Amino acid sequence: MITALKIMCSPIKPNQIDGLIHAETMSAMILGSPIFSKSRIFNREIVVFAQWKNENVLDDFLRSNPIGRQIATGWHIRLEFLRQWGSISGFKIPATNTEIANENNPVVAITIARMRYTQIPRFLRWGRPVEKQVQDNNDSPLSLASIRYPNTISTFSIWKSQKGMIDMVQGHSKMPGPKRHLHAMKERERKDFHFEFTTLRFKPLNEYGAWNNKQNYIPIKTKLL
């Protein structure tokens, strides 16, 4: 817990670390958990979403930086950018999107949002059902949420196939309440919850370490692409 607090209070920053473009350091949350639960208020598990100039500088950070060495003892995944919706400050997102030829290939989806303070209660009302929808979806072997107070939130999900993810987004999944995500997006279009919001899609490349004592969240066929 003390280590997690130190990392949250002193997150990694580009002006302190060579090769780091931008990073968001957040506390992990369990998707769909009660609003006033421990997992939403603060969790000793830390999530870092970072963009690096290349893998060499990332490897050097994990070997030589004190925070990097702490992160290296946990689990991390390396990603290749595919496409973006919306926009977010800090990161340098490529202007060109890439389409996956085979919709059965795995993908990773990440959302990052900066909330309007007055819209947080409304967002929770619409967002928690969507969290449960993703958490309970068999097509997603790992899904998480994270928060950095006062108003930055993020979600992360690995999908066995791009088709499974798109079916969820469009309300075609074979599970109870399949249109929860679709309805929440329509509500956001009616009146936005955020002043910055982006959804990013990636191709998973490699994963390292273990999350909750488990490994190999990326479907093996990814490594054959």
Side-chain angles (χ1 to χ4, degrees), residues 63-101:
R63 283 193 305 265
S64 60
N65 184 280
I67 294 179
R69 289 195 293 268
Q70 287 286 339
I71 293 173
T73 64
W75 178 88
H76 80 271
I77 186 171
R78 302 188 185 189
L79 306 168
E80 180 181 321
F81 173 78
L82 293 175
R83 62 182 300 123
Q84 177 188 36
W85 293 265
S87 62
I88 198 80
S89 57
F91 296 101
K92 295 181 179 179
I93 307 298
T96 302
N97 292 330
T98 301
E99 295 294 340
I100 290 182

